Structure formats: structure tokens, C-alpha cells
């Protein structure tokens, strides 16, 4: 067990990564608390409108759609450590301003929309830079472990943040939650300053003159010529748009279907995050690039469980199904992320990861208003199972294409344990 734990958390032995991960954990707990408070505030200000939830989600992710590719270019041209500091400082100032509006009862619905759009701008810069920065913190050998620990940090915050937020909103209202978010975002600023630049792994970068000429279109062409990168990105663009909207759909499900309070909404998010943490930790032992079959299998499982959540009619059943759904969601996203990062040239990593962030988060402005409209017109459950079926169809189409392209065959074995497996054409 000791050896297993040592392998699971191996990247934490690197000082710079330890500072990075601890700062992110503190900040993300506050961010997830803020997401819960923001959604609850929108419901209060809009008379429980699921469409308003969709609009605020769209405001939050539209900057990702518009600016992420340019941020990837910045990540390949400039010091990622400096860019992270600037983006996080911008986030801190915005969060402090929003907390003042909420605490003084001056907040209006349009304030929340504007706040979400500005925070989305900070995220559009910070996220691709942060994704690409991990390889500089730990190097190639520890990259799969570090990426899995990043997902574990993210989902640990998803467990703690919503649970604490639900209780805090019930006890103190939403204002103190926004204030805590602002204060927690100071941690990554301090830790980025404390990093040792001499310990960063920057040998694989392009020379300075070539970095200055790095173009967005070159990154797009690079991915277009690489089917092994293009397929996971294409699947994520559809699945992310149609199914990865639980921030919106679970709030509507809790309040409009089961008629529960903020604490119960937090329980939904926590159940999803518990499974997600398991999915993240399951990938910490990986040392090589995940196969395309791992990515496809995870996508099918993710879509299947997401569909079942939408059809569940009992509160306890939704909570139970959200655990494997969260596991499969993160296992799929993490396997796809690792397949891309382990297969990309270091000189293109910033632009490629920006494109990954675009398809992972930038599709939300397109899907969120539609999902919100479906939830308001046909019910929150329908918005989930419809998205699940669209995701399942996408994953099965990708599987069919990959089988035909590779000449492989999909088989099913009953004994000693029922499972699907893939064989080559000559077997």
C-alpha cells in the first residue's frame, strides 16, 4: 500500500508542482463554492428560470470560445509562469468586486451575467496556459501522473466546495461564499511567486525567434494532420456540449423536480465529484499514452450513465447514479487529455492544449442555452437524458469509424468475466 501511494502521488515530490497543486486546490475549493452560490443567486433573481441559468453559463464560457486559441499562442510565446500570475490576479480583483455587490445587496441579474463573462475571460487565458505549464513543472516522465493529480485536485475541490457551499448558503446566504472565493484565489498568486524558475523543464521549447512567429493556424493544421489527436477532440466537443452541463442541469433538477434546497443541490454535485475523484485517481498509475480504445470505452460508459441519470425518477437513485457518472466523465476526459498531451510536440503544446480547452469548455456557450431551454420546457431530467443519448451516439459512431479505419474487430467474452475486447484483423 505504501508503494502504491508513493507511486500515486509521485509528482508531489517535485517542489514546483507541489506549490502549483496546493495553490490550485485552495483556489478551486473557493471557485466551486462560488459556482454553487452563483447558480443559486441566479435562480433567486430570476424566479427559478432554467433559461437564466443557461444564459449565465453561456456568459461564463463564451470568452473561452472566443479567446482560448489566442491564449494558446501566448502560452507558446511567453513565460507561462508570468501569464498564470496575471490571469489569477485578474480573477482575484473580479471576485472581490462581485462579493462587495452581493454583500451590500446591490447585485442585479445583469451584474451576475457581466461577472460571469469577465471571469470567463480570465479563465480563457489561464486554463490553456495552466494545462501546458504542467509539463514544465514535472517533465515528460511524470506528466501522466501530474495530469491525473491535476484532475484529482480539481475533483477534490468539487467534493469539498459544493458541500461546504450548500451549508454556507443555508447558514449565511450567498454573500460570504463570494467573499471566500476572492480570498482563496490569493493562494496560487503566492505559490507562483515562490516557484524556482531554474527547476522548470524548458529544454524542449522552440528558440526565441521561432516562438515569436508561432501562429494559431499552425496549431490548427498540426491537429488536422493528426487523426489520433483529432478524434478525442471531436468527441469531447459533442459530449462536452450535450452532456457536460451538470452545473446547470443539477441545479434545475434539485429545485424544480425534487423541490429541494441548496444543501441537496450540493449533495448532487458532491456525489458527482466523489465519482470524479475516483476516476482521476484511477489514472495516476498510468505511465504511457492511453490507447484509443481506452478513450472510446470511457466515452461510451460516460454517455450511458449520464443517460440513466436523466431517466432516474427517485432522488436517492440520482445520487447513486451520479457517482459512476462522475467516475466515467473524468476517466474519459483524463484519458483523452493524456492521449493528446503525450502525443503532441512540445513546441505546439500551448496551441494544441488551447484547442483542447476550446472543445472541452468552449462548447458550453452553444449547448448551455439550448439545454436550459429544454430543461425549462420539457423538464431537467429530459435535458440530461437527451444529452446522454446524443453523446452515446457520438461515441458509437467514433468507435465504428475507428474499427473500420484500423481493421480491428470488437469481441465479447463471457468467461471468466463478461467484457468487450478488441482484436486485430488478422486474429
Amino acid at each position: 500500500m505504501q508503494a502504491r501511494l508513493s507511486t500515486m502521488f509521485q509528482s508531489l515530490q517535485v517542489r514546483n508542482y507541489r506549490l502549483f497543486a496546493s495553490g490550485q486546490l485552495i483556489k478551486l475549493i473557493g471557485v466551486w463554492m462560488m459556482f454553487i452560490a452563483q447558480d443559486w443567486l441566479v435562480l433567486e433573481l430570476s424566479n427559478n428560470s432554467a433559461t437564466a441559468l443557461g444564459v449565465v453559463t453561456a456568459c461564463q464560457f463564451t470568452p473561452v470560445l472566443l479567446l482560448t486559441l489566442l491564449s494558446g499562442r501566448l502560452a507558446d510565446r511567453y513565460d507561462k509562469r508570468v501569464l498564470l500570475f496575471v490571469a489569477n490576479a485578474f480573477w482575484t480583483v473580479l471576485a472581490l468586486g462581485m462579493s462587495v455587490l452581493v454583500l451590500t445587496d446591490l447585485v442585479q441579474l445583469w451584474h451576475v451575467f457581466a461577472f460571469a463573462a469577465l471571469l470567463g475571460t480570465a479563465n480563457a487565458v489561464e486554463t490553456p496556459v495552466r494545462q501546458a505549464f504542467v509539463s514544465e513543472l514535472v517533465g515528460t516522465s511524470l506528466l501522466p501522473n501530474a495530469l491525473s493529480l491535476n484532475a484529482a485536485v480539481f475533483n477534490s475541490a468539487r467534493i469539498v466546495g459544493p458541500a461546504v457551499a450548500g451549508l454556507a448558503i443555508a447558514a449565511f446566504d450567498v454573500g460570504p461564499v463570494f467573499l471566500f472565493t476572492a480570498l482563496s484565489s490569493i493562494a496560487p498568486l503566492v505559490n507562483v511567486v515562490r516557484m524556482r524558475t531554474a527547476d522548470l523543464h524548458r529544454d524542449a521549447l522552440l528558440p526565441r525567434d521561432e516562438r515569436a512567429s508561432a501562429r494559431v493556424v499552425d496549431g490548427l493544421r498540426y491537429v488536422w494532420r493528426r487523426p489520433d489527436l483529432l478524434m478525442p477532440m471531436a468527441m469531447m466537443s459533442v459530449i462536452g456540449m450535450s452532456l457536460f452541463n451538470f452545473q446547470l442541469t443539477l441545479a434545475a433538477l434539485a429545485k424544480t423536480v425534487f423541490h429541494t434546497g441548496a444543501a441537496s443541490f450540493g449533495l448532487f454535485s458532491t456525489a458527482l465529484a466523489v465519482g470524479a475523484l475516483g476516476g482521476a485517481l484511477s489514472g495516476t498509475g498510468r505511465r504511457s499514452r492511453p490507447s484509443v480504445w481506452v478513450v472510446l470505452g470511457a466515452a461510451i460508459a460516460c454517455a450511458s450513465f449520464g443517460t440513466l441519470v436523466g431517466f432516474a425518477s427517485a432522488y436517492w437513485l440520482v445520487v447513486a447514479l451520479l457517482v459512476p457518472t462522475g467516475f466515467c466523465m473524468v476517466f474519459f476526459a483524463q484519458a483523452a487529455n493524456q492521449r493528446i498531451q503525450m502525443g503532441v510536440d512540445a513546441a505546439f503544446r500551448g496551441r494544441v492544449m488551447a484547442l483542447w480547452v476550446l472543445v472541452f469548455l468552449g462548447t458550453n456557450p452553444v449547448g448551455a442555452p439550448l439545454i436550459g431551454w429544454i430543461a425549462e420546457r420539457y423538464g431537467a431530467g429530459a435535458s440530461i437524458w437527451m444529452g446522454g443519448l446524443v453523446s452515446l451516439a457520438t461515441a458509437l459512431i467514433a468507435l465504428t469509424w475507428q474499427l473500420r479505419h484500423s481493421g480491428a474487430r470488437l469481441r465479447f467474452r463471457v468467461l471468466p468475466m463478461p467484457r468487450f475486447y478488441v482484436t486485430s484483423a488478422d486474429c
Side-chain angles (χ1 to χ4, degrees), residues 341-352:
Q341 287 236 41
M342 297 293 286
V344 67
D345 294 334
F348 288 92
R349 181 168 279 114
R351 282 163 287 177
V352 171

Side-chain angles (χ1 to χ4, degrees), residues 66-285:
L66 299 177
L67 302 175
T68 295
L69 293 179
L70 294 176
S71 301
R73 182 173 182 241
L74 293 176
D76 282 336
R77 293 185 64 181
Y78 302 110
D79 191 327
K80 298 178 183 64
R81 178 169 164 268
V82 174
L83 291 175
L84 281 177
F85 182 88
V86 173
N88 279 293
F90 184 52
W91 173 285
T92 302
V93 172
L94 289 173
L96 282 170
M98 186 62 184
S99 65
V100 170
L101 285 176
V102 178
L103 287 169
T104 56
D105 291 327
L106 297 176
V107 67
Q108 299 178 30
L109 188 59
W110 72 268
H111 290 146
V112 185
F113 293 157
F115 170 70
L118 291 171
L119 284 183
T121 302
N123 265 339
V125 175
E126 191 262 356
T127 305
V129 174
R130 171 166 44 83
Q131 290 271 347
F133 189 50
V134 176
S135 63
E136 293 189 12
L137 292 170
V138 299
T140 304
S141 61
L142 288 177
L143 184 56
N145 178 258
L147 292 175
S148 295
L149 288 180
N150 277 1
V153 166
F154 180 81
N155 289 290
S156 296
R158 286 181 66 179
I159 294 173
V160 177
V164 174
L167 297 174
I169 293 172
F172 307 110
D173 207 0
V174 294
V177 177
F178 279 96
L179 181 60
F180 179 83
T181 296
L183 297 177
S184 67
S185 63
I186 298 174
L189 293 175
V190 175
N191 284 1
V192 163
V193 172
R194 294 177 60 199
M195 288 181 184
R196 297 171 183 162
T197 55
D199 294 343
L200 296 176
H201 298 258
R202 291 175 167 173
D203 297 338
L205 295 180
L206 286 172
R208 185 178 298 273
D209 57 338
E210 293 184 44
R211 276 187 280 152
S213 63
R215 300 182 302 169
V216 172
V217 68
D218 293 331
L220 296 176
R221 289 172 178 167
Y222 177 82
V223 173
W224 183 256
R225 293 193 297 263
R226 294 283 303 274
D228 60 322
L229 305 180
L230 190 59
M231 176 185 281
M233 287 195 179
M235 281 199 301
M236 180 54 73
S237 66
V238 178
I239 295 175
M241 179 173 61
S242 57
L243 185 60
F244 282 25
N245 289 286
F246 284 111
Q247 177 188 344
L248 184 163
T249 54
L250 291 183
L253 195 68
K255 192 148 190 175
T256 64
V257 175
F258 296 107
H259 307 289
T260 55
S264 296
F265 172 35
L267 181 60
F268 278 169
S269 298
T270 301
L272 188 72
V274 167
L277 178 60
L281 292 176
S282 67
T284 55

Side-chain angles (χ1 to χ4, degrees), residues 36-52:
I36 300 297
Q38 175 184 274
D39 289 350
W40 210 252
L41 181 63
V42 168
L43 290 173
E44 289 181 348
L45 295 174
S46 64
N47 296 318
N48 299 331
S49 172
T51 301

